[in-house]
Amino acid sequence: MNLKNVNKVDTNRVELEIEVDGKTFQDAINKVYRKEVKSINIPGFRKGKAPRAIVEKMYGKGVFYEDAMNDIYPEAVDQAVEEAKLRIVPDKPELEVVDVSEDGFTFKVKLTTYPEVTIEGYKGIEIEPVSDEVTDEKIDEQIENARKRAGSVETVTDRAVEDGDTAVIDFEGFKDGEPFEGGKGEMYSLVIGSGSFIPGFEDQIIGHNTGDEFSVNVTFPEEYQVPELAGAPAEFKVKLHEIKARVLPELDDEFVKDVSSESETVEEYRKEVAANLAEDLKKARDNDISNKLAEALAEKVQGDIPKAMYDNRVTDMLKEMEMNLRQQGLDMNLYMKYTGMTEDVLREQYADQAEKQVNVRLALDKIVELEGIEPTEEEVEEEFKKLADMYKLDVEKVKTLVSKDDITKDKAADKAMALVRENAVIK
């Protein structure tokens, strides 16, 4: 195989002209012939036994050409890309056959290449992360949450519904006076303030008493997943069967002994909560710094970035989502059915996040280039060991599954982010 020409036809778009020699082509044709002849009937020959020359005489000299070329394309393109020292973005290639004969063929292929990007100002980025200060208010909030988790739910009969209560209701929704599909429920336990129903619905339950029958008027969100209801006003007829309220335990030493294995008094428990909170807030601050630096890098990188890179990242994110669902015993199609989602809707939801992730990685790769960052062999080996520990595999096995080049690039990107963080101005 021979790379004849390399032509840049557009931004991030290159056309390769590749020549395939006669021997390579004939070998591929013979391979296709041996596979296809098993299903070919030729008068005078047993099924699958007709010589290639006879098959070609009956069906035409080029009967196996297309399948043979299809077999050759991937390797031929890979070799040409390597020879041209190109970095290609996975995308659907455009193929065009220039000429073909028994002595070989020539074809052109258009591919998407990695973009040339620039970045400035990646040192000295100013950010103001969330505070990691442990305050009495934050400690009180943590203790209150623990009380809520330890609380019990009791039926209330002497007052109306309040925010935070659970209202057990029947409801039926009507649009233009007609009931609509999926708008009816019986003995449904709705936590007021949870935001699980249409905006405005839960607020209108507040103030009603057990046994009340009333109407709730709302407007469906414009982006609602059922098109015929999106943006439409609706009336729900509601009957309130029961009000349940969460009763919290007293904050005393007995409560502390129930919820903590380390403390026995309220005073000790506050110190324990403060210590745990300090650790959590530090992690939250570190994550916030990383996220804000990533956002800054995503905005600072400049270049014409192929849409295929964003589309590919969304596809990867959907695959990751599907894998996570499988680990929970769920099926992607079943998930979409019950949530009213479609693949197009999911792709749209992931689009912004995918764009940010792609831009950040391009920014880090450029910083690696500009700063001459190169991980040591020891650092790369350490990354292999981390993967081996994570997946409980032998290190040598991991090395057969994961490319050293990929590990090296990922480690270099990590070091680039560390450089950005070391030089950031954190207020």
Side-chain angles (χ1 to χ4, degrees):
M1 283 173 271
N2 174 42
L3 175 60
K4 295 180 67 177
N5 288 302
V6 180
N7 296 310
K8 185 174 182 179
V9 294
D10 202 350
T11 305
N12 305 317
R13 199 72 173 161
V14 67
E15 181 183 76
L16 307 181
E17 186 173 1
I18 303 169
E19 184 178 63
V20 177
D21 61 89
K23 182 181 183 307
T24 301
F25 191 32
Q26 288 301 320
D27 288 346
I29 292 173
N30 282 328
K31 179 182 175 182
V32 173
Y33 157 73
R34 288 192 296 271
K35 178 182 176 182
E36 298 295 331
V37 72
K38 299 172 185 178
S39 60
I40 295 176
N41 284 314
I42 300 290
F45 295 91
R46 283 183 296 164
K47 185 177 180 180
K49 297 298 181 180
R52 174 182 154 186
I54 298 298
V55 177
E56 290 176 337
K57 184 175 181 180
M58 175 165 285
Y59 291 102
K61 193 73 174 176
V63 62
F64 301 120
Y65 281 8
E66 183 175 354
D67 288 341
M69 288 189 289
N70 286 334
D71 282 349
I72 289 172
Y73 286 141
E75 184 178 354
V77 171
D78 286 346
Q79 288 184 13
V81 166
E82 184 175 356
E83 183 178 339
K85 294 181 172 55
L86 297 172
R87 192 177 180 191
I88 299 300
V89 175
D91 196 5
K92 187 175 181 180
E94 296 179 37
L95 291 164
E96 175 192 352
V97 177
V98 178
D99 60 65
V100 58
S101 72
E102 62 184 10
D103 297 324
F105 68 99
T106 300
F107 70 99
K108 293 180 179 179
V109 58
K110 290 180 181 177
L111 303 169
T112 301
T113 58
Y114 262 66
E116 287 292 331
V117 300
T118 61
I119 185 168
E120 295 179 357
Y122 57 86
K123 291 181 179 178
I125 295 174
E126 295 186 6
I127 59 170
E128 186 171 352
V130 294
S131 171
D132 60 357
E133 180 185 2
V134 178
T135 63
D136 287 338
E137 289 78 12
K138 290 177 181 178
I139 295 172
D140 291 341
E141 183 181 350
Q142 293 294 306
I143 293 175
E144 188 68 11
N145 289 338
R147 290 180 66 208
K148 288 178 181 178
R149 290 193 295 271
S152 60
V153 176
E154 298 181 3
T155 298
V156 175
T157 58
D158 60 349
R159 65 169 175 81
V161 176
E162 296 177 359
D163 191 21
D165 288 343
T166 296
V168 181
I169 59 173
D170 293 343
F171 62 89
E172 185 172 14
F174 296 83
K175 177 191 173 187
D176 298 328
E178 297 293 328
F180 54 83
E181 185 177 355
K184 185 175 183 179
E186 295 181 351
M187 299 301 290
Y188 185 92
S189 294
L190 175 62
V191 178
I192 306 302
S194 64
S196 54
F197 269 34
I198 304 163
F201 188 101
E202 294 167 25
D203 292 341
Q204 296 178 58
I205 304 294
I206 294 174
H208 286 284
N209 292 283
T210 302
D212 285 357
E213 296 186 28
F214 52 94
S215 291
V216 168
N217 294 286
V218 294
T219 300
F220 282 94
E222 291 292 341
E223 65 277 9
Y224 196 69
Q225 62 263 30
V226 180
E228 55 268 27
L229 296 177
E235 177 189 13
F236 283 85
K237 294 181 179 179
V238 179
K239 181 174 182 178
L240 178 58
H241 288 284
E242 187 179 5
I243 303 169
K244 296 180 180 180
R246 183 169 291 278
V247 179
L248 306 185
E250 290 294 326
L251 178 57
D252 53 24
D253 292 350
E254 290 305 312
F255 164 76
V256 170
K257 292 173 185 177
D258 286 339
V259 299
S260 172
S261 60
E262 301 177 16
S263 305
E264 293 189 354
T265 67
V266 173
E267 184 179 356
E268 290 175 353
Y269 184 55
R270 285 188 69 85
K271 292 178 180 178
E272 177 191 339
V273 170
N276 292 334
L277 187 58
E279 186 176 341
D280 291 342
L281 290 175
K282 182 179 182 302
K283 290 179 181 177
R285 178 181 170 86
D286 286 343
N287 288 335
D288 191 50
I289 290 172
S290 296
N291 289 335
K292 285 176 177 173
L293 287 174
E295 289 172 3
L297 290 176
E299 292 175 0
K300 288 180 180 297
V301 70
Q302 299 294 318
D304 292 319
I305 301 170
K307 183 176 180 296
M309 295 188 74
Y310 299 139
D311 291 341
N312 291 342
R313 182 58 195 135
V314 170
T315 298
D316 290 341
M317 293 168 80
L318 289 178
K319 288 179 180 177
E320 292 164 8
M321 177 184 177
E322 185 173 14
M323 189 178 301
N324 290 333
L325 287 172
R326 285 179 179 174
Q327 290 175 351
Q328 299 171 42
L330 299 174
D331 176 80
M332 186 69 151
N333 291 330
L334 196 61
Y335 169 82
M336 289 194 290
K337 176 182 177 182
Y338 285 112
T339 59
M341 292 286 188
T342 65
E343 183 175 336
D344 287 343
V345 171
L346 286 173
R347 294 188 74 89
E348 185 176 346
Q349 289 184 351
Y350 279 128
D352 289 344
Q353 186 180 351
E355 181 174 341
K356 174 187 170 183
Q357 290 180 3
V358 169
N359 288 2
V360 170
R361 184 52 187 257
L362 287 171
L364 293 174
D365 287 349
K366 189 64 180 180
I367 294 170
V368 167
E369 176 190 331
L370 294 171
E371 297 288 339
I373 296 173
E374 188 173 345
T376 64
E377 285 294 326
E378 291 77 13
E379 288 172 332
V380 173
E381 191 66 23
E382 184 61 30
E383 292 302 308
F384 275 120
K385 289 179 181 177
K386 287 180 182 177
L387 285 174
D389 291 342
M390 184 184 301
Y391 294 103
K392 295 179 172 56
L393 293 172
D394 183 78
V395 173
E396 295 305 315
K397 177 64 175 178
V398 173
K399 289 180 179 179
T400 66
L401 300 172
V402 183
S403 161
K404 182 179 180 180
D405 185 54
D406 289 342
I407 291 289
T408 302
K409 289 177 180 177
D410 287 346
K411 184 59 182 177
D414 289 343
K415 296 185 75 170
M417 178 57 87
L419 180 147
V420 171
R421 184 163 182 154
E422 288 168 6
N423 288 275
V425 178
I426 300 174
K427 300 180 179 179

